[in-house]
Amino acid sequence: MLLPKQFHFLFFIFFLVLNIFAQDKGKPMSFKKIIIDIEQQYQVSFNYTEDNIVGLQLNPPKKTLSLDQKLQYLAQNTNLSFENIGNRFINIYKKDPESKMICGYIFSSTDKKPIENANINLSNKTQVTTDSNGYFEFKKEDATVFLISHVGFTTKRIVAGNQNSGNCLQILLEPEITELQEIKANAILASGISKNNDGSFEIKPKKFGILPGLIEPDALQTMQQIPGVNSLDESVSSINVRGGTHDQNLFLWNGIRMFQTGHFFGLISVFNPNLAHTISIYKNGSSAFYGESVSSVVAISSTPETAEKNSFSAGINMINADIYAKYNLTKKSYVEISARKSITDFVETPTYKEYFNKVFQNTTITDFSEKQNVDYQSDKKFGFYDATLKYAQKIGSKDQIVLDLITIKDKLTVFQSATVYDMNKSENNILRQENYGGNLSWKRKWNNSNTTKINIYNSSYKLLANQKTTMGDQIVTQENVVNNNGINLENNHILNSRFTFNDGYQFNEIGITNFEQVSNPDFYRKVKDVLRTHALILEGKYNDTLSRIYFKAGARINYIEKFKKIIVEPRIQFNYGISKNLNLELLGELKSQNSQQIIDLQKDYFGIEKRRWIISNNTTIPIQKSRQISLNLFYQKNDWLLDVENFYKKVTGITTSSQGFQNQLEFVRTTGDYEIVGTEVLVQKKLNYFLTWLSYTYNNNNYHFTNYEFPSFPNNFELTHTVSWAGIYEKNNFKIALGTKWSSGRPKTSPDVSKIDLSNPVLVYNKPNSTNVHIFSQVNISSTYKWETTQGIQYKLGISILNILNRKNEISEYYRISSLTNSIEEVETFSLQRTPNMSFRVSF
């Protein structure tokens, strides 16, 4: 009986467990009934749409589970998702179908290391980032085209195909190679003027402040404020940089070589000051892409660095009036024009009269022996104009074409008469000077690292003089014509953020014609010479702003067809930041030049613009060559600036006729060199709205003519000591500048009176340039004020006075035998007297 009782007991236990299990499993019930039970148990409220739960049934969750456990149970067993808001409200959503994923790994193409925190920008304007392994993923439906970017790398566009999560993308990003910008020392001499690491000075006319005597940002007048740059006769057509002559400077306007640089025979620059965007001036260490100069380089660009809006301006001063306009044709093209013309056809202002007296002051000549004046009466008509045109067109995102045109013209007509010893003499003279130029450039950006630029240019210069004399019934016609053509190719390669490499090729053809015709007696001469030059340029640059090292080295390899001659010109620029405030700079260059200006006779071209261009013949007119080195210390701290530069320069292959001698060497034809050692110092302090600076220049400049009886003597353009000072105040729209310039007189050659027979005088000179003219001293002032209307129209008023103290400064002196009086005459040339000027400009 025992066994059946045990069996009944085990059967009871089994039935009880089975019953409990059946109760836990429960029967399927409607989903709506389940959530109602949960609402009652936990005092919550479900939010849902009937469509999402209709007809849905399942076994209810265990009653012993917590609220979150029950919601998890429901989510696992349905296609629903649940959002619990504060254990009070529960939102029910229908689950989306399972999405396909796009995944990938991003690496650097250089070292194949993963890139962390790269940004993946999706088309739905969302963004994901990579982890430390360079991994990312997102739903395919979010984007099939996406952009990957990271600082220091080039942005990459990816188009995803039929990708699945088991086959992730492997993406390489290319480093973004960006050339580090050069650190500039801003506001040197005036706002808008800075100094670059390569030793060049950069002028931004549109940001230009003010300088003493200047009310407009004239490029060639402004550069004369830089230590080492002078004009001994106050002319922008006779700028001397470290003892060199004006023709030894290279003047470029948008890649076009300009042979005429001055209006009014040098008193006004031919470059419209309201047009240029950047002016770069190199005294030494210029790029290997610059040739045909043994002195400085002045490169003027009117192409803006960034897009600009439409603009128009017009202005007038006491010499000329001008207009400027820029109009954007489309988003990728614009046209820019400028024009300037003298107002002498309508009015003769005090400024014009002072300029004219400066140019023609030698019409009154003092007789050296009898102190007798010979007075000339003149009736004159003078005018000038210049105009420019620029058309720029971007083609796509990589190409740009720019066309630049410029025209310059000066014309002077003078009827001159004189009465000397009851004898009448008259001359009708015409002098015309003009320069036309054009440049077509194409620039292509192949990628972020490689750029190519090609430009084709032409420059045509003409100087024409017709002189007529009534007494001798003589007509003299002289003409100097220059035609310069060329093509330049330049490639720029950015190897990384510190290293760049440039290479290029240049072809240059220059033809010069000199023509002279004289009647009574008859004389005719016409000479034309052509020279073609090929140049290969290689240049590398290292610029590390962190270690404060800037190093640029290059070479220009010239081949002159006519002479079958190769000339190699190395260039170097080195700048090292010894500390945050102190920089050491070393510049050096070898350069050559095949053309130059000479003076055959001082009376040529009416004795005004008497220089004519000629080409080297490699014998009596050698190729000029220069070598120069300079060492500079530049200190800047707490608005103090100290710039000290020592230099050595030597130019060989010069001729006596190119130096403008007016002594015993005037008719001597020989070749030689000049050698100059100098120091240039600039001290500057800025205090709030006030800027003041003081500069000093020392030059020891000597000629060497080994075949002459005096083989060595001072250079015609030597100024042993030069001191300049300026005080500038700029606040808001008001600017004023006061300054002075002092220099020791230039060399002159005096006659040896003890050896001259006054009854039959013949000039006998002392040693060349053995004495000096008087000290030069001048005080200048200028001021401008600008205001703007509510309509956005800007007005600018400017006033300047040159030589406030009206000091009579002698700038040259020479002697000659008068054909009228048969006596020795002393001819003195003086600087401008007190010269006022006023300008007014409107812009919008």
Side-chain angles (χ1 to χ4, degrees), residues 383-448:
F384 68 82
Y385 70 82
D386 60 69
T388 66
L389 169 68
K390 177 189 288 290
Y391 172 74
Q393 173 72 59
K394 286 187 177 180
I395 304 173
S397 60
K398 295 187 176 182
D399 298 273
Q400 183 181 35
I401 295 176
V402 179
L403 173 67
D404 286 292
L405 301 174
I406 185 170
T407 177
I408 301 164
K409 188 172 183 178
D410 287 62
K411 186 176 181 180
L412 170 70
T413 303
V414 177
F415 178 79
Q416 191 174 57
S417 62
T419 301
V420 180
Y421 302 124
D422 297 326
M423 296 176 63
N424 293 324
K425 182 179 180 181
S426 63
E427 296 178 348
N428 190 17
N429 305 282
I430 296 175
L431 181 62
R432 188 171 73 244
Q433 188 179 24
E434 54 196 29
N435 201 156
Y436 305 101
N439 181 58
L440 179 63
S441 67
W442 167 67
K443 183 178 181 180
R444 178 170 179 81
K445 184 178 181 180
W446 302 99
N447 50 47
N448 289 334

Side-chain angles (χ1 to χ4, degrees), residues 440-674:
L440 179 63
S441 67
W442 167 67
K443 183 178 181 180
R444 178 170 179 81
K445 184 178 181 180
W446 302 99
N447 50 47
N448 289 334
S449 303
N450 299 282
T451 305
T452 296
K453 184 177 180 181
I454 300 175
N455 65 290
I456 303 171
Y457 63 89
N458 169 263
S459 182
S460 298
Y461 168 81
K462 186 176 183 180
L463 178 63
L464 173 66
N466 281 304
Q467 294 179 250
K468 300 179 181 179
T469 59
T470 301
M471 286 185 58
D473 193 24
Q474 186 183 67
I475 301 175
V476 179
T477 302
Q478 296 176 301
E479 194 173 78
N480 180 223
V481 179
V482 180
N483 193 32
N484 183 219
N485 307 292
I487 181 169
N488 297 335
L489 167 65
E490 181 178 348
N491 296 307
N492 308 111
H493 314 283
I494 303 176
L495 305 181
N496 56 44
S497 60
R498 294 178 177 85
F499 287 98
T500 62
F501 178 76
N502 304 326
D503 59 86
Y505 165 79
Q506 295 179 358
F507 169 76
N508 181 74
E509 178 187 72
I510 185 170
I512 299 181
T513 303
N514 280 289
F515 170 77
E516 288 181 275
Q517 185 172 9
V518 181
S519 63
N520 194 24
D522 292 338
F523 174 80
Y524 178 90
R525 182 180 68 171
K526 184 176 182 180
V527 179
K528 181 177 182 180
D529 295 298
V530 178
L531 210 60
R532 298 181 181 90
T533 306
H534 305 266
L536 177 65
I537 299 102
L538 302 172
E539 195 171 68
K541 182 173 72 173
Y542 175 81
N543 183 21
D544 188 350
T545 56
L546 296 179
S547 60
R548 297 192 292 270
I549 295 177
Y550 177 94
F551 179 72
K552 186 176 182 180
R556 181 184 181 90
I557 306 170
N558 299 305
Y559 175 72
I560 306 172
E561 284 188 6
K562 188 174 183 179
F563 310 138
K564 294 180 172 57
K565 190 178 183 69
I566 296 176
I567 301 175
V568 180
E569 303 175 6
R571 315 283 174 88
I572 185 173
Q573 304 163 3
F574 174 75
N575 189 305
Y576 174 64
I578 299 174
S579 67
K580 183 179 178 181
N581 307 111
L582 182 64
N583 279 58
L584 175 70
E585 178 186 82
L586 176 68
L587 303 175
E589 63 181 18
L590 267 65
K591 300 167 76 174
S592 65
Q593 184 173 333
N594 300 315
S595 59
Q596 59 181 282
Q597 284 183 307
I598 65 167
I599 299 174
D600 284 335
L601 298 172
Q602 290 292 332
K603 66 179 182 179
D604 284 348
Y605 298 97
F606 198 35
I608 304 171
E609 181 52 85
K610 49 204 170 187
R611 297 167 299 178
R612 67 174 78 199
W613 286 94
I614 62 168
I615 292 179
S616 169
N617 58 17
N618 205 30
T619 54
T620 57
I621 307 173
I623 299 171
Q624 296 185 69
K625 297 179 181 179
S626 70
R627 57 176 180 265
Q628 183 177 186
I629 189 168
S630 60
L631 184 64
N632 172 270
L633 279 175
F634 187 90
Y635 179 80
Q636 190 173 20
K637 186 177 182 181
N638 298 331
D639 292 324
W640 278 97
L641 185 151
L642 175 64
D643 191 357
V644 181
E645 187 165 8
N646 297 288
F647 68 91
Y648 167 81
K649 177 181 176 182
K650 184 175 183 179
V651 177
T652 62
I654 66 171
T655 62
T656 49
S657 56
S658 69
Q659 299 300 300
F661 285 108
Q662 291 179 289
N663 52 22
Q664 62 265 57
L665 282 94
E666 181 175 350
F667 303 105
V668 174
R669 297 294 179 259
T670 187
T671 61
D673 63 68
Y674 69 82

